[in-house]
Amino acid sequence: MKKKKIVLGITGSIAAFKTPEIVRILKKKGFDVACVLTPAASQFVTPFVLSALSGEKAVSDMFDPDAAHISHLKMAEEADLFLIAPASAATLARCAQGIAEDMVSVVYLATKAPVLMAPAMHDTMWNHPATQKNVEILKERGAKFVGPIEGDLADGSSGPGRMSDVNEIVRMAERIVS
Ligand SMILES: Cc1cc2nc3c(=O)[nH]c(=O)nc-3n(C[C@H](O)[C@H](O)[C@H](O)COP(=O)(O)O)c2cc1C
């Protein structure tokens, strides 16, 4: 039987360092996984690590000549789920407004697969009316959300904005795909 494919979109949050673990768990559970990153995300986690764990080239630079064979449209079409984890405030805004300017927002716009987003940001950014409006728009258009949760944030403060636990994200992803 053909394996289900999860395309993982990674954006510029400090929580991106947890994504290799998401890839590892999804692979262990028998999913095919392919990663796309925003340029900001690749400051937090390397495409090399994600490629090694997923077995597929992780693409960050849309115009990378070595990735020209990996069409964002093909990736969007092959996905059984597009999981964006962590989802930054900027990416939520881009997706809500239809601004397709990096691999993550392009795949979001191009895919017909279900979309699951795991936001991660400081609580001030999460609570901002602009972010809340973008989340409302994305939910209206069918995107599902997991988290964010209350907890320790990167600057040592605490509040809603922490990315959900990786196992919870994987559980939600599995539920949607099956
Ligand atoms: C150390 C550091 C941590 C950051 N953490 C977050 C974060 O958790 N969530 C967020 O929305 N933005 C965070 N940012 C800001 C984003 O990286 C920035 O808005 C970037 O433009 C996001 O781009 P992207 O959505 O294309 O990945 C952080 C920036 C820095 C320097």
Side-chain angles (χ1 to χ4, degrees):
M1 203 171 69
K2 195 175 173 296
K3 286 184 177 180
K4 297 271 188 184
K5 179 149 196 166
I6 297 182
V7 176
L8 174 60
I10 303 164
T11 75
S13 157
I14 200 102
F17 82 89
K18 298 175 183 169
T19 53
E21 184 63 1
I22 297 180
V23 175
R24 194 189 64 78
I25 301 171
L26 288 173
K27 289 288 288 183
K28 201 166 168 208
K29 285 180 178 282
F31 293 103
D32 278 335
V33 182
C35 298
V36 289
L37 299 87
T38 63
S42 55
Q43 299 288 329
F44 297 94
V45 61
T46 68
F48 180 81
V49 168
L50 297 161
S51 302
L53 287 171
S54 67
E56 298 196 29
K57 183 176 167 71
V59 185
S60 174
D61 178 2
M62 242 190 333
F63 302 104
D64 175 359
D66 292 337
H69 62 290
I70 309 172
S71 147
H72 53 276
L73 296 177
K74 192 160 172 276
M75 225 176 214
E77 194 187 313
E78 284 177 357
D80 292 296
L81 173 72
F82 185 37
L83 166 63
I84 306 183
S88 69
T91 290
L92 293 178
R94 247 179 254 127
C95 292
Q97 300 305 316
I99 300 169
E101 64 179 10
D102 54 64
M103 280 302 279
V104 174
S105 49
V106 166
V107 172
Y108 170 78
L109 248 70
T111 195
K112 291 194 173 122
V115 175
L116 175 62
M117 297 188 166
M121 66 199 71
H122 196 263
D123 60 340
T124 49
M125 294 173 76
W126 175 250
N127 287 323
H128 195 285
T131 304
Q132 288 302 310
K133 186 69 194 173
N134 290 330
V135 170
E136 193 186 312
I137 290 170
L138 292 164
K139 280 184 176 168
E140 268 171 26
R141 293 181 186 152
K144 299 271 182 284
F145 280 77
V146 51
I149 56 171
E150 289 263 352
D152 294 342
L153 302 174
D155 67 345
S157 66
S158 182
R162 190 179 164 84
M163 188 172 80
S164 283
D165 180 76
V166 291
N167 290 299
E168 178 58 18
I169 294 171
V170 168
R171 254 193 303 276
M172 274 285 279
E174 275 186 295
R175 213 174 299 151
I176 294 171
V177 171
S178 60

